Amino acid sequence: FPLLVNFKSAFAEHFRRLLDWMRRRRHIRKVRIYDMNTRIVLSFTIALYILSAAIFFIVERNNTLAGMPLSDQIVQSIFNAFSPRSSGFVSVNPARFMPVTIIVVMIMMWIGGASQSTAGGIKVNTFAVILLELKAVITGNNRVVVYNRTLAHDSIRRAFAVVTISILSYAVVSLLLIAFEPTLSTKALLFEAASALFTVGSSLGITDRLGLDAKLLLCLAMFVGRVGLLSLLTGMVRHTGKAPLRCPEDNVIIN
């Protein structure tokens, strides 16, 4: 939704510039049309779509897409690259996916859509911030600069918190689900846990074979994934505010 608001402002600015050009004004006011959030979301979203669609096409061309015309294979690859990050719809049977495809689909589930959208996952904004911070660490920069803007430290802290919580939550849900259903396929249970926690809705076909305890766990995972565990924790835990004193800094060995 923030992108739609930005697009509305961008359309108004483009229309104003067109009027200025038609009136042959020499001095056209230049403003920043697209903000940093919009640019990050669009660039990383396009990159993820192209990469996931290409992997799906290459891996599944002789598997689930075998026998289809080339045009249908391309369309199926694009659709199944979109779906895991938003709706969870499937046009081919996920149970027949190659292991590489299942891993890619689970990663796309984990990333999800853009922040303040109806999609699940950690959000592409968070994923982008993590990669940009990683690039800054590798290159030795103490600030994250993107599109001539310095990324706020609070955004980086929240991104790392969201990623950490998502990994811990997925580990807990997966372990409990495997403990509840030891006779079912571990691969299918891991896929089921990711689909529920990141609010996708896809399955490898074992949902109806789960017991009551496993189904209740998935319901809880879907609720947590929809609301967001970070939002739940910040709403339930009392905020201490800023510390009255600033303690001396020290380092922890990270290697």
Side-chain angles (χ1 to χ4, degrees):
F1 296 109
L3 268 68
L4 297 179
V5 175
N6 194 186
F7 287 158
K8 176 185 175 183
S9 302
F11 176 79
E13 178 62 21
H14 284 301
F15 184 71
R16 185 196 63 78
R17 291 184 180 184
L18 178 62
L19 292 179
D20 289 343
W21 178 79
M22 294 176 63
R23 295 169 182 171
R24 300 183 181 276
R25 292 183 178 179
R26 294 182 179 181
H27 301 287
I28 298 178
R29 179 173 59 93
K30 292 184 178 181
V31 297
R32 191 178 181 88
I33 298 179
Y34 300 102
D35 57 34
M36 182 179 66
N37 181 74
T38 299
R39 292 186 175 192
I40 288 177
V41 170
L42 290 180
S43 58
F44 275 82
T45 296
I46 293 173
L48 287 173
Y49 279 146
I50 294 176
L51 180 62
S52 57
I55 294 176
F56 192 93
F57 177 80
I58 294 172
V59 177
E60 295 295 326
R61 185 177 183 181
N62 296 320
N63 186 36
T64 56
L65 304 181
M68 298 182 183
L70 179 61
S71 58
D72 289 350
Q73 291 180 341
I74 295 175
V75 171
Q76 291 282 359
S77 300
I78 295 175
F79 177 80
N80 286 279
F82 273 76
S83 186
R85 298 184 53 233
S86 56
S87 60
F89 296 140
V90 291
S91 55
V92 290
N93 186 7
R96 295 174 50 201
F97 284 167
M98 299 291 288
V100 174
T101 307
I102 292 178
I103 293 175
V104 172
V105 169
M106 291 173 64
I107 293 175
M108 293 300 114
M109 289 179 180
W110 175 64
I111 296 175
S115 295
Q116 296 187 2
S117 71
T118 57
I122 63 171
K123 304 298 188 294
V124 66
N125 313 56
T126 305
F127 183 68
V129 169
I130 293 297
L131 292 184
L132 292 172
E133 172 66 10
L134 177 62
K135 176 185 176 183
V137 172
I138 294 175
T139 56
N141 294 324
N142 56 1
R143 293 179 300 174
V144 179
V145 179
V146 54
Y147 298 119
N148 297 321
R149 290 291 188 274
T150 300
L151 194 60
H153 182 64
D154 185 63
S155 298
I156 299 174
R157 290 177 63 244
R158 289 185 63 86
F160 273 97
V162 169
V163 170
T164 303
I165 290 176
S166 69
I167 294 174
L168 294 177
S169 302
Y170 178 66
V172 171
V173 173
S174 299
L175 289 174
L176 290 177
L177 202 60
I178 294 173
F180 291 156
E181 302 293 341
T183 59
L184 296 180
S185 169
T186 302
K187 177 182 69 174
L189 292 174
L190 293 176
F191 189 90
E192 201 84 10
S195 178
L197 189 60
F198 305 129
T199 62
V200 179
S202 298
S203 175
L204 297 186
I206 65 167
T207 308
D208 57 341
R209 296 161 57 188
L210 298 176
L212 179 61
D213 47 1
K215 290 181 179 178
L216 291 176
L217 176 63
L218 291 181
C219 291
L220 178 62
M222 285 187 282
F223 175 78
V224 170
R226 179 65 276 171
V227 177
L229 190 55
L230 182 61
S231 300
L232 289 175
L233 292 177
T234 54
M236 296 171 58
V237 177
R238 183 176 65 89
H239 290 196
T240 57
K242 295 183 178 179
L245 298 176
R246 183 173 180 177
C247 300
E249 292 186 357
D250 205 344
N251 291 320
V252 176
I253 299 176
I254 306 295
N255 191 1

